[in-house]
Amino acid sequence: MSIGRRSLSLIAMAVTLSGCMKDMAAGMPFGSRADPPAEETVTRAASAARPDASQAAPIIHALSLRGSVVEPGTPYARIAGAVIASDSRVAEAELHIARLRAEAAKYNWLPSFGPRISLNSLGDFVADLVVNQVLFDNGRKKAERDLAKSHVELAAVKLVEDGNRRVNDALTLYIRAQESRELDAHLEFALKDMTQFEWIMNERVKGGVSDMSDLNVLRQKLASIRARRSEAQETARTAMAELDAMSASPLAEVRGLGGLRDTSGGAALGVLRAQAERDIAVAEAKIARASHLPGLVASGSGGQSALRGSLDIGSDTLFSLGTVSDLKAIEASKEAASRKIGEAQETAERSIRSQASQLAAYTRQAKEAELLTRQAKQNLDLFQRQYDGGQRQIMDVVGVYETYAAALERAIDLKYKAARAELELARLRGALAEGAQL
């Protein structure tokens, strides 16, 4: 059914009113210039809705400039690249949805129109076109656009958070596997050395030189080493199997640690999330406030019926005795949302400083453990020479060897504790995944 020329004129009139209202909002007198065509009005509005990216979406701009502390070409970089490539990208889909909604909200100031079909008393269908144009809404439409933009920024923060969490999970598994592999290699050598001690003691027992109890002690130590080695191998296999399930390519051949740059990065992701949530709360508060205040709407209809138009003043929410308190609560919600940013900054700063101190402590302890391991090895070599010279018993050498093995295990443990602390510090800063790459 045709809507007729009169209905088309309603749309042109509504667009003209919208352009005049935008001029009045900019400080220009009503009717100070000729109204442009509707197409030009829409184009000008679209251009105005695309300001500089750093100003229109500061959080997204900050995220896009966010670099990764993972150094290219390192084992960490291979792990991170493999797991990012296999990500299901759920957060990216949510970001795409938020962007589409923001794109739709950019034109919410334009008139809305639609058909109205009714059956009259004579049994005939009457088709009209109804057009509504908001002339004054106390900033509601602008707040709706700000709300949609803030949801885009929050979705972008979630995307970077998910990327950092995924890389952190993968690198945590890799560090666990590497620690178990290194412990397995150490226990393999310890097993060979202890087996040699057991063979010597067995020969001494056969010759009646040593007691059977010493041989039993050595055999118990061997059984303990075998059990711990099996546990280390199982831990490494489990961690690598889980890591392979996360990655797009096999990672069994990757070896080694390192690959994180020492950089503070930008604001913590928790702070950026709080800023986006603050913007959402402020926009929602503005929308709620506008719903309590009267607005001006121009409406018209025409088509097969006579052309009709009206100006309506009203509000979405009727006044009551609690309206004033409700408006005060809406304003207070803005302040509460702003305070959450300071709380998020304090929490992030505390966590980062605590983790940085822990990393420094583990790094220092690891260096001390390496020194103690070298000293224990020198003491073991001394006892070995004394045993070869007949000045020491075999169990004396075994005891010193256990001290050396324990010192070496302690050094391995602290080495990987430092690696995990470094990784956790990068996670707290949100710098494991590059923002532009995500």
Side-chain angles (χ1 to χ4, degrees):
M1 289 179 289
S2 173
I3 61 176
R5 294 184 178 179
R6 288 184 299 175
S7 300
L8 292 175
S9 66
L10 285 173
I11 300 176
M13 179 177 64
V15 172
T16 302
L17 284 172
S18 175
C20 292
M21 292 304 299
K22 289 178 70 67
D23 290 342
M24 292 174 66
M28 298 178 62
F30 184 83
S32 60
R33 63 176 182 179
D35 293 322
E39 294 82 358
E40 183 180 344
T41 302
V42 175
T43 303
R44 187 176 65 248
S47 300
R50 289 192 296 268
D52 181 68
S54 61
Q55 298 177 359
I59 295 178
I60 293 181
H61 181 68
L63 291 174
S64 65
L65 298 178
R66 199 178 194 87
S68 173
V69 298
V70 179
E71 294 183 357
T74 61
Y76 284 179
R78 289 187 59 185
I79 299 295
V83 297
I84 289 295
S86 64
D87 192 3
S88 56
R89 317 286 287 185
V90 176
E92 183 181 10
E94 294 177 352
L95 175 59
H96 180 63
I97 294 172
R99 280 177 170 170
L100 291 177
R101 289 174 176 167
E103 185 71 21
K106 280 200 307 186
Y107 306 104
N108 64 349
W109 58 271
L110 289 172
S112 58
F113 55 90
R116 182 177 63 190
I117 302 176
S118 61
L119 182 66
N120 61 18
S121 59
L122 300 178
D124 297 329
F125 283 101
V126 178
D128 293 334
L129 182 68
V130 180
V131 180
N132 288 324
Q133 172 63 54
V134 176
L135 301 180
F136 181 71
D137 61 356
N138 301 284
R140 182 189 183 105
K141 294 295 185 182
K142 182 178 184 303
E144 289 176 352
R145 295 193 294 271
D146 293 340
L147 178 62
K149 185 187 75 172
S150 298
H151 277 297
V152 173
E153 293 183 329
L154 181 59
V157 174
K158 290 180 179 179
L159 175 62
V160 179
E161 285 179 338
D162 285 355
N164 276 272
R165 188 182 305 111
R166 184 172 181 82
V167 174
N168 176 73
D169 291 344
L171 292 180
T172 299
L173 289 171
Y174 176 71
I175 290 174
R176 185 188 307 166
Q178 284 298 105
E179 181 180 13
S180 299
R181 286 169 173 174
E182 190 165 341
L183 180 60
D184 174 43
H186 159 65
L187 292 175
E188 181 182 6
F189 284 109
L191 185 63
K192 292 179 180 179
D193 293 337
M194 200 61 70
T195 300
Q196 182 66 22
F197 290 143
E198 188 264 347
W199 178 83
I200 294 173
M201 182 60 67
N202 186 50
E203 295 300 317
R204 290 173 64 88
V205 169
K206 288 181 180 180
V209 178
S210 297
D211 189 77
M212 188 65 185
S213 60
D214 292 336
L215 180 60
N216 290 334
V217 170
L218 284 175
R219 287 175 176 173
Q220 289 175 356
K221 294 181 184 297
L222 279 170
S224 175
I225 293 174
R226 291 191 185 98
R228 293 176 58 206
R229 188 186 177 197
S230 297
E231 181 182 358
Q233 291 173 344
E234 290 171 358
T235 301
R237 283 196 298 267
T238 302
M240 290 306 300
E242 189 173 351
L243 182 58
D244 285 338
M246 294 178 61
S247 65
S249 58
L251 300 170
E253 302 302 322
V254 181
R255 293 288 191 279
L257 285 182
L260 293 183
R261 291 189 290 263
D262 185 13
T263 176
S264 59
L269 292 179
V271 176
L272 295 180
R273 171 186 276 269
Q275 291 177 358
E277 291 174 347
R278 185 273 313 272
D279 294 341
I280 290 175
V282 169
E284 289 176 344
K286 290 180 179 178
I287 293 173
R289 178 181 178 276
S291 67
H292 286 81
L293 302 177
L296 179 63
V297 179
S299 61
S301 63
Q304 294 180 348
S305 300
L307 182 64
R308 290 192 297 267
S310 64
L311 289 175
D312 301 320
I313 299 177
S315 61
D316 295 340
T317 304
L318 299 178
F319 283 92
S320 66
L321 293 178
T323 299
V324 175
S325 298
D326 196 9
L327 290 173
K328 290 181 179 179
I330 290 172
E331 292 300 319
S333 66
K334 299 179 183 179
E335 177 66 22
S338 298
R339 292 185 179 184
K340 290 182 180 179
I341 298 178
E343 183 181 15
Q345 288 175 338
E346 179 182 347
T347 301
E349 188 66 21
R350 287 178 57 191
S351 300
I352 289 174
R353 291 192 179 186
S354 174
Q355 194 62 36
S357 299
Q358 195 171 30
L359 172 59
Y362 282 142
T363 303
R364 175 184 54 79
Q365 293 173 16
K367 293 180 180 178
E368 294 174 352
E370 291 178 0
L371 177 60
L372 293 175
T373 301
R374 289 195 297 269
Q375 293 175 351
K377 183 62 170 65
Q378 293 173 359
N379 197 27
L380 174 62
D381 294 340
L382 176 61
F383 268 66
Q384 184 67 45
R385 290 193 299 268
Q386 291 176 346
Y387 170 75
D388 295 339
Q391 297 175 334
R392 296 286 183 179
Q393 298 293 325
I394 184 64
M395 294 305 294
D396 295 336
V397 181
V398 170
V400 176
Y401 182 84
E402 287 184 317
T403 302
Y404 162 70
L408 185 56
E409 290 183 28
R410 170 75 173 165
I412 293 174
D413 179 61
L414 288 171
K415 171 184 175 181
Y416 286 94
K417 279 185 176 179
R420 280 189 287 268
E422 183 183 28
L423 179 63
E424 177 64 14
L425 181 59
R427 186 195 68 82
L428 291 173
R429 290 171 172 167
L432 287 174
E434 186 175 351
Q437 182 182 3
L438 295 175

